[in-house]
Amino acid sequence: MNTQPPRFKFNTVGLFTRQNKAIVDFYTRAFGFTTSWDGIQPNVEMYLGDMRIILYPRPDFEQMTSRAYQYPEGFNGTMELALDVPTYADVDREYAHALACGGRSVLPPTTEPWGQRTCYVADPDGNLVEIGSFTKE
């Protein structure tokens, strides 16, 4: 057993965005993230408990790093944000709520053979958000 403290603590996901305001509106309304963003600065920090998401506009990031990048079009199938909810019923409820807040359906709530009820929605930039639970009741 390793008794050494870890070298790193994973604490943040960064998203390079096309539209910070739409992303902030979606995550705050759909999932309850909070932010003190002033609507002006390019860098946005959003929090939900111990989770943190940083948003940074794509052109600003390219200027900062002096590089051009290729970004996915449509749904971003290169990564996901995964949110765990207490029960199967919560998966269905949160899916409907995310759609009502502007999310786009990728996979409606489905009970998978491995016992997880899961669904996927896309945020306004096409980033995938999974909402899932392993608890029926």
Side-chain angles (χ1 to χ4, degrees):
M1 176 178 205
N2 187 356
T3 58
Q4 292 278 65
R7 290 180 42 218
F8 303 102
K9 178 183 176 189
F10 184 79
N11 68 351
T12 305
V13 171
L15 300 175
F16 301 109
T17 63
R18 285 184 297 221
Q19 45 190 338
N20 273 357
K21 183 174 180 347
I23 301 295
V24 168
D25 289 347
F26 175 71
Y27 283 93
T28 57
R29 291 178 54 228
F31 305 118
F33 278 83
T34 60
T35 184
S36 59
W37 184 52
D38 62 8
I40 299 168
Q41 298 301 314
N43 191 46
V44 178
E45 293 186 15
M46 297 188 304
Y47 298 90
L48 181 63
D50 292 338
M51 293 184 292
R52 180 171 78 155
I53 295 176
I54 293 177
L55 308 178
Y56 205 68
R58 293 171 180 179
D60 294 270
F61 183 67
E62 289 182 353
Q63 182 179 6
M64 182 180 80
T65 61
S66 300
R67 294 181 181 266
Y69 296 91
Q70 296 176 352
Y71 300 101
E73 293 296 324
F75 295 137
N76 179 358
T78 62
M79 55 83 73
E80 71 173 44
L81 302 174
L83 303 175
D84 186 44
V85 294
T87 68
Y88 283 15
D90 294 309
V91 172
D92 295 26
R93 186 172 24 261
E94 294 296 342
Y95 171 80
H97 181 68
L99 295 183
C101 292
R104 293 177 287 158
S105 179
V106 175
L107 174 72
T110 304
T111 303
E112 299 292 354
W114 53 86
Q116 179 187 30
R117 185 146 180 90
T118 190
C119 65
Y120 283 86
V121 297
D123 72 17
D125 267 350
N127 298 301
L128 301 182
V129 180
E130 178 186 21
I131 305 166
S133 178
F134 283 93
T135 305
K136 286 185 182 182
E137 311 234 357

